[in-house]
Amino acid sequence: MTDTSRSAPSSPPPAAAFSSAPTQAVVLAGGQGSRLRPYTDDRPKPMVEIPGTGVPIIGHQLAWLASEGVTDVVVSCGHLAGVLQEWLAEAELPLRVTTVVEEEPLGRGGGLKYAARHLPDPAGSWYATNGDIWTRFSLREMAAFHTERGAVATLALARPRIPWGVVETNEFGQVLDFIEAPPSPYPVNAGVYVFGPEFVALLPDLGDHERTTFPRLARERRLAGFPLPQGAYWRAIDTAKDLTEAARELAAQTGS
């Protein structure tokens, strides 16, 4: 295992008053990002920069987590881990960061469990996010949703736009309208989570928690789904097209 730590300034976070919300998080940053090549030939996926910002995806994530009251983050590294660790060591970060590297591939569930064991407060709740997500919404509201439902785990739910135009018809088969890239009628896992402290023990040591732990919790009605608020920004950065779209959306938001 490789374990490196980086300290942030000691001033209290703006969200210190939100004692019920987690102040620790795990960022899963070990993916190879094969669909983002050539951007990921020399860097891990979370180190790919959003065009026009000069900041890698993980930089946006850490800033967002800090703004939501998180003070400590464990970053789980894998592919080209040294590149990510070097950036984290040199960047001015708004929170404390520890990096861990799996000696052998543990799968998504095993990797999450391994990283969670390095959180500073094992008895506390925690957030987790995939390292390729660029989003902004209130994690405090999601944590309150999680607590109100007595869930062991809560996942954020997004409705991404369908990449094709769709055709609306009536019961007679007559075409009524053409709709360009509408939101999906089904929610998808947005890759952002709130976990209670008991969740770690339910994770597999090796394997995928989305095939084991999540279905079990769903059957037991201990898994909750938090719909992203109307207008919240969310995008998974999987392909070069996603980078282009993210840059275009950012430009539209800033008016540049």
Side-chain angles (χ1 to χ4, degrees):
M1 179 203 58
T2 302
D3 187 338
T4 62
S5 298
R6 175 73 187 277
S7 295
S10 58
S11 57
F18 292 85
S19 57
S20 61
T23 59
Q24 55 186 0
V26 168
V27 176
L28 296 174
Q32 293 190 8
S34 57
R35 290 191 293 169
L36 260 176
R37 290 174 178 161
Y39 297 100
T40 52
D41 285 345
D42 61 353
R43 68 195 64 193
K45 193 177 185 182
M47 281 300 299
V48 174
E49 293 183 2
I50 303 295
T53 70
V55 178
I57 298 168
I58 195 168
H60 293 283
Q61 289 184 321
L62 294 176
W64 172 51
L65 290 169
S67 73
E68 291 292 325
V70 174
T71 59
D72 293 89
V73 171
V74 176
V75 177
S76 178
C77 307
H79 175 63
L80 297 175
V83 177
L84 178 53
Q85 289 175 318
E86 182 178 355
W87 183 85
L88 290 170
E90 295 177 354
E92 291 294 329
L93 302 177
L95 33 63
R96 289 178 289 272
V97 173
T98 298
T99 63
V100 296
V101 182
E102 300 170 26
E103 295 179 357
E104 298 179 358
L106 300 175
R108 290 191 295 178
L112 186 61
K113 186 173 190 175
Y114 179 68
R117 286 173 171 163
H118 293 79
L119 290 168
D121 180 14
S125 297
W126 47 291
Y127 299 116
T129 180
N130 295 342
D132 58 358
I133 300 299
W134 190 24
T135 186
R136 286 293 186 276
F137 65 90
S138 174
L139 284 173
R140 300 181 188 97
E141 291 182 8
M142 185 176 174
F145 180 96
H146 169 85
T147 301
E148 288 167 1
R149 281 147 186 82
V152 172
T154 298
L155 54 152
L157 302 176
R159 292 185 182 269
R161 291 193 173 275
I162 298 172
W164 309 282
V166 302
V167 179
E168 182 182 359
T169 63
N170 62 17
E171 64 270 24
F172 300 108
Q174 296 169 321
V175 173
L176 301 179
D177 199 4
F178 297 89
I179 305 172
E180 186 65 28
S184 168
Y186 300 103
V188 301
N189 183 346
V192 181
Y193 311 91
V194 181
F195 296 132
E198 66 270 42
F199 182 72
V200 178
L202 302 177
L203 286 165
D205 294 321
L206 182 66
D208 188 349
H209 62 293
E210 294 192 12
R211 295 181 180 273
T212 55
T213 310
F214 278 177
R216 170 186 169 183
L217 290 175
R219 290 191 299 270
E220 296 171 352
R221 299 296 186 265
R222 296 195 293 164
L223 180 67
F226 173 76
L228 294 190
Q230 184 71 25
Y233 184 80
W234 178 87
R235 179 172 285 278
I237 308 296
D238 290 320
T239 65
K241 183 179 179 181
D242 291 325
L243 282 175
T244 301
E245 289 295 313
R248 181 184 60 80
E249 291 161 352
L250 178 62
Q253 291 173 10
T254 60
S256 59

